[in-house]
Amino acid sequence: DAKTTQPPSMDCAEGRAANLPCNHSTISGNEYVYWYRQIHSQGPQYIIHGLKNNETNEMASLIITEDRKSSTLILPHATLRDTAVYYCIVKNTGNQFYFGTGTSLTVIP
Amino acid sequence: DAGVIQSPRHEVTEMGQEVTLRCKLISGHNSLFWYRQTMMRGLELLIYFNNNVPIDDSGMPEDRFSAKMPNASFSTLKIQPSEPRDSAVYFCASSPDNDREKLFFGSGTQLSVL
């Protein structure tokens, strides 16, 4: 049940902003957008989530379009340690997380 | 807090043997999730507990798999008998009741069934 579409891979220069897109055109009104990432050989790590307003925390910013059909995760100053697979997940609160294939981000020195 | 702790880190066994994977939750967390990750299928949710009670086990592949929470801080995932197609990385994750949207994952158990 693929509720989100992400590019399979992206590159970003170290120190630049990494902008990771996610399409979720069938999102319903009470579904949130979540982002997790998985660094090689580790378990996934929570990054950020939002409903319709843009969100920012110490890790990243989440920009959700007004129609909520797509969003962008922004890592403002990518470092080599940000190389990971990034998962965009859409779900209702209380439902379970189903991870897709994500975007493999490579930060290049 | 040490985070979610899984053991063993690596397990190599022969087909037909019983395998037990262990998970210690973060203190105070009430929900426990077991996931399996393979190249072919990605991350799959196997089972979810809340307050020691299994809530959703629809992802458990078949009767060879069983999971328990004998107490609030510990869980096991057992495979008996194991098969080569069970080879995968098994993750457990926990979350607190007051912030269920943040899952905290362990480092995983790399299982190889020969």
Side-chain angles (χ1 to χ4, degrees), chain A residues 34 36 38 41-44 46 87 91 93-94 96-99, chain B residues 9 33 35 37 43 45 48 56 91 100-103 105-107:
Chain A
Y34 297 82
Y36 277 73
Q38 186 173 22
S41 298
Q42 298 182 22
Y46 168 84
Y87 297 98
K91 77 170 194 73
T93 57
Q96 304 324 312
F97 285 93
Y98 290 93
F99 294 78
Chain B
R9 191 78 170 88
F33 307 80
Y35 283 85
Q37 187 170 33
L43 265 165
L45 176 65
Y48 153 54
D56 182 359
F91 289 102
R100 287 192 189 181
E101 306 313 308
K102 291 184 184 176
L103 301 185
F105 282 79
S107 299

Side-chain angles (χ1 to χ4, degrees), chain B residues 32-49:
Chain B
L32 181 281
F33 307 80
W34 281 102
Y35 283 85
R36 176 173 69 176
Q37 187 170 33
T38 61
M39 288 292 292
M40 291 293 292
R41 302 172 69 93
L43 265 165
E44 302 174 277
L45 176 65
L46 300 178
I47 188 168
Y48 153 54
F49 290 84

Side-chain angles (χ1 to χ4, degrees), chain A residues 49-94:
Chain A
H49 75 283
L51 184 61
K52 50 180 144 181
N53 297 325
N54 297 338
E55 302 287 343
T56 295
N57 63 20
E58 65 279 2
M59 290 182 70
S61 294
L62 173 60
I63 308 297
I64 303 174
T65 57
E66 193 168 340
D67 63 7
R68 302 209 323 123
K69 293 186 177 182
S70 66
S71 60
T72 301
L73 178 74
I74 300 172
L75 309 178
H77 306 286
T79 70
L80 299 180
R81 287 175 295 179
D82 292 322
T83 292
V85 176
Y86 287 76
Y87 297 98
C88 171
I89 303 160
V90 163
K91 77 170 194 73
N92 289 317
T93 57

